[in-house]
Amino acid sequence: MQKVQAQDTLQSDTRVKQRMLLNQFESDYVLTASERIALRQSRIAYQHRMKEILDTIDISDARRKRLIQELKKNPFSERVQSVIANHTNSTDSMEQ
């Protein structure tokens, strides 16, 4: 019974549509289901890395929470990337 539950959770985490409407007309433009699952997993891993970086940055808790919410909505948010870039640039200049 536990094996079935474990398989269900793995499949539900990376759920994508098996058939897309575009596939009927332009199958060359559509990625396969396994490719879409791999892309989704890489986006999730990227979000986790960005969250870990945000947790290490010395900013207020309220700002960190807002940035994490922004990260959940948009994994490639310009606001999150600029905060991380500004912080890494400021710490690099302090070390030199």
Side-chain angles (χ1 to χ4, degrees):
M1 185 68 176
Q2 290 179 354
K3 289 181 183 179
V4 173
Q5 290 175 345
Q7 289 174 352
D8 289 341
T9 58
L10 287 176
Q11 291 174 353
S12 66
D13 289 341
T14 54
R15 184 176 294 167
V16 295
K17 291 183 180 178
Q18 293 298 322
R19 295 183 182 177
M20 297 182 68
L21 182 62
L22 186 61
N23 194 20
Q24 294 176 1
F25 304 106
E26 293 291 336
S27 60
D28 296 337
Y29 293 117
V30 178
L31 298 175
T32 64
S34 61
E35 290 172 330
R36 287 180 286 160
I37 289 172
L39 285 173
R40 183 180 173 121
Q41 289 175 339
S42 68
R43 282 193 303 270
I44 292 170
Y46 178 79
Q47 281 179 311
H48 285 292
R49 285 194 307 271
M50 291 296 110
K51 184 182 180 299
E52 290 173 353
I53 291 171
L54 285 175
D55 288 339
T56 60
I57 293 177
D58 186 29
I59 55 176
S60 69
D61 289 337
R63 186 171 185 195
R64 181 176 291 113
K65 286 180 183 179
R66 283 194 307 267
L67 289 171
I68 289 173
Q69 289 298 322
E70 176 75 24
L71 185 64
K72 287 179 183 178
K73 291 179 185 175
N74 181 6
F76 305 106
S77 170
E78 291 290 327
R79 185 179 309 155
V80 173
Q81 291 178 3
S82 67
V83 168
I84 292 172
N86 288 338
H87 181 71
T88 56
N89 288 339
S90 64
T91 57
D92 290 342
S93 62
M94 287 181 187
E95 292 175 358
Q96 294 175 354

